[in-house]
Amino acid sequence: MKNPVQWLRSFVFIVQMYLAMLVLGIVFAPWAMASPKGARVACKSFARWALWTARWMVGIRTEVRGLVPSGEVIIAAKHQSFLDIIIIFNAVPSARFIMKRELMWTPVIGVYAKRLGCVPVDRGKRGAAIAKMVKDVAKETKEPGQLVIYSQGTRVAPGARKPYKIGTAVLYEGLKQPCIPAATNVGVFWPRTGIYRKPGLAVVEFLEPMQPGIARGDFMEQLEARVENRSDDLMREAGFEPEQAAVQA
């Protein structure tokens, strides 16, 4: 039985977080429309606000481990909830995301995503979507930054298993940039759906870079093994047993 007081705190936290997103989106709009720098400052401000309020309102502390990427790299991250997006964006200097096309039409998020140079993907078209994604990424490489892609293509609940999609390897081959795998346990505390937020230490960990030149099959195999194994370790550290959850599912 979930704690009703924690549930109420979670509800209030979510309401104020999205209200803050709206307010900051409006306040920074003139600067964001004039310059991508304004959009980035606005989003960084929101990320810091969300992390700060998560700590004292619902008891979620956050930690970034590993060497934070700062150059032109691909970050191939485990995606469990909105929280890992916030942590990564706050941690790295110039993140832009591969994101599903529908989000580009949402209020505030869509407008700022376009200004940041995020790349929309139509997940329903597979091969055509991958080809267009590579073309769109090439178009948006005017300024150095960190391109974040979620290799499973969607949020994945702790303990669930979903295949890694080939799009990450295609970008890795085409851009010829190092790929930084990123593991996380955030879904243990901030689930992909629902209101309840559980107190604890949510971690995103940047792993050792994968340098350009690894063959596609080997790259995908190594990427999945490294991200999944380390994410499982982080979830166990948080008191969650991923194998048991997978069996129950």
Side-chain angles (χ1 to χ4, degrees):
M1 184 69 179
K2 291 178 178 177
N3 184 332
V5 174
Q6 183 68 16
W7 189 95
L8 180 59
R9 293 174 67 185
S10 300
F11 178 76
V12 173
F13 165 73
I14 293 168
V15 170
Q16 68 80 32
M17 183 186 72
Y18 284 107
L19 181 60
M21 178 188 291
L22 177 61
V23 170
L24 288 169
I26 293 170
V27 169
F28 279 93
W31 188 11
M33 293 302 100
S35 167
K37 182 180 178 181
R40 190 163 299 282
V41 171
C43 295
K44 289 276 190 183
S45 299
F46 168 73
R48 287 192 291 269
W49 175 266
L51 296 176
W52 179 66
T53 54
R55 186 181 185 96
W56 66 265
M57 291 187 76
V58 292
I60 296 179
R61 296 169 290 121
T62 59
E63 182 177 311
V64 175
R65 297 179 185 173
L67 183 63
V68 176
S70 59
E72 288 190 272
V73 297
I74 301 164
I75 298 174
K78 180 79 171 173
H79 188 21
Q80 292 185 334
S81 74
F82 188 28
L83 181 56
D84 53 65
I85 295 176
I86 295 171
I87 293 173
I88 290 173
F89 188 85
N90 186 62
V92 306
S94 301
R96 55 197 178 97
F97 293 81
I98 304 289
M99 57 195 294
K100 58 184 180 181
R101 185 171 297 278
E102 306 92 274
L103 288 175
M104 302 299 278
W105 300 104
T106 56
V108 185
I109 291 177
V111 173
Y112 279 85
K114 289 174 186 174
R115 296 301 289 153
L116 292 173
C118 294
V119 180
V121 173
D122 187 343
R123 294 190 300 182
K125 293 186 179 176
R126 300 190 179 179
I130 291 174
K132 188 172 188 312
M133 175 182 69
V134 174
K135 182 179 176 183
D136 290 344
V137 166
K139 212 165 50 174
E140 294 291 347
T141 53
K142 301 167 191 168
E143 296 182 12
Q146 300 77 47
L147 181 66
V148 183
I149 183 168
Y150 291 107
S151 300
Q152 291 169 295
T154 188
R155 293 168 295 176
V156 179
R161 302 296 179 189
K162 285 189 181 292
Y164 277 51
K165 298 180 182 296
I166 199 66
T168 305
V170 174
L171 282 178
Y172 167 77
E173 291 172 350
L175 295 177
K176 295 180 172 53
Q177 295 174 354
C179 177
I180 313 297
T184 192
N185 67 359
V186 301
V188 174
F189 309 102
W190 182 318
R192 64 194 179 102
T193 60
I195 292 172
Y196 194 83
R197 303 290 183 262
K198 178 183 173 183
L201 180 62
V203 178
V204 167
E205 183 170 346
F206 296 110
L207 308 179
E208 287 296 315
M210 301 175 71
Q211 297 299 332
I214 304 173
R216 180 178 293 191
D218 291 340
F219 171 79
M220 291 302 297
E221 185 177 338
Q222 291 178 37
L223 175 66
E224 181 170 354
R226 291 173 64 181
V227 172
E228 291 301 306
N229 290 341
R230 188 56 189 148
S231 293
D232 286 351
D233 290 342
L234 293 174
M235 286 185 277
R236 291 189 195 96
E237 182 182 307
F240 180 90
E241 185 49 61
E243 284 83 1
Q244 184 177 346
V247 169
Q248 292 173 347

